[in-house]
Amino acid sequence: MARTASPRGTDSADPAGLGRARAAAISAPALLIIAAFLVFPALWTLYLGTTNYRLTGFAARHPRSVGLQNYTNVIQDPDFHHSLWLTVEYVLFSAVLGQALLGFVIAWMLRDARGWLKRLIEALVLLAWILPSSVVAFLWVAMLDRGSGTLNALLHTPGTAWAIEHPMAVIVVFNIWRGTAFSMLLYSAALTGVPPSQLATARMFGANSWQQLRDVVFPHIRGHILTNLLLISLWTFNDFTPYQITAGGPNGKSEILPVYIYQTALFDGQMGLGAAISLLMLVINLVVALVYLRLLRDRRGGRKLERVAP
């Protein structure tokens, strides 16, 4: 007896054969978690951004709607502009130029290394990444201490308060040291996909190290570079750990946006204003992500054109 043919498209629409009801039941717990921890907080933040809600006082019990007033106040606030500019500096120097560049240099230098030296360097770089941020921040505070800090002892600069005199430089170097491991691991994996025969051919034709990187290595790992820059830029943009080292000081000289939101919403108690800043920060994150995704899409489109070209 011939088997009845299933309607066209059924197999592709439901390859597991679960049916809509069973598939919905399996997906429901994950969807509930997403709704509870992502969708609801986002909607609540959106609502708070349109109110004068505060942590204490009359506005905490009876908040009223203020429309877009919070967003207008934030955009006109010089402190917000200052904090945004500090955040851009923090992301540019510690993530884009620091972690990405240093991670690639380490991965490139260790690509052909073997033995205990390679394992030791990788372990030291990874150790800074896997340690809890509170522990790492405490170690850095102790190292930078004005009276008995390790850095002053090594440089013979007693009495230098690094976190007070150079707060942005301190948190930039800290973030480079802490986050380089991710870039190193990603680039190490990417470099394994570069054909050794192409590098050997480039060397045979007299290409120096920079020409090999420019003409052979970078075209193969461009997608990995963009992915790495996207992730570390977003992580650094939303990083709160510098607060544990400088607390945004002195006088706001290291008050990046996450710290500025904390100071506004929790320390000053202006939850509505803090929610408005958070939403603006989310919009900035989306813009940055869209730029990187557009670059990735253009790269993939270019590769497809190269494949179909005669």
Side-chain angles (χ1 to χ4, degrees), residues 46 49 104 111 113 144 171 184-185 196 227 245 257:
L46 182 63
F104 179 80
R111 70 190 187 283
L144 300 173
I171 63 175
M184 180 194 71
L185 293 175
T227 301
I245 300 178
L257 274 179

Side-chain angles (χ1 to χ4, degrees), residues 127-128 130-142 174 177 241 244:
L127 185 63
I130 64 177
L131 284 175
S133 60
S134 57
V135 175
V136 173
F138 175 79
L139 294 175
W140 270 70
V141 170
F174 165 77
W177 172 80
T241 307
Q244 299 175 309

Side-chain angles (χ1 to χ4, degrees), residues 26-108:
I26 293 174
S27 304
L31 295 177
L32 289 175
I33 293 175
I34 293 174
F37 293 99
L38 291 178
V39 178
F40 175 74
L43 295 177
W44 182 250
T45 301
L46 182 63
Y47 162 73
L48 287 182
T50 61
T51 68
N52 68 335
Y53 186 80
R54 297 183 65 94
L55 284 179
T56 58
F58 181 80
R61 187 175 180 85
H62 301 286
R64 62 180 178 84
S65 176
V66 295
L68 300 178
Q69 186 63 43
N70 285 330
Y71 299 96
T72 304
N73 293 339
V74 170
I75 293 175
Q76 296 175 350
D77 186 5
D79 290 337
F80 172 75
H81 299 159
H82 175 69
S83 181
L84 178 60
W85 176 248
L86 290 179
T87 307
V88 172
E89 289 183 353
Y90 182 56
V91 173
L92 177 63
F93 290 107
S94 70
V96 177
L97 297 179
Q99 293 180 11
L101 183 60
L102 183 58
F104 179 80
V105 170
I106 297 175
W108 179 255

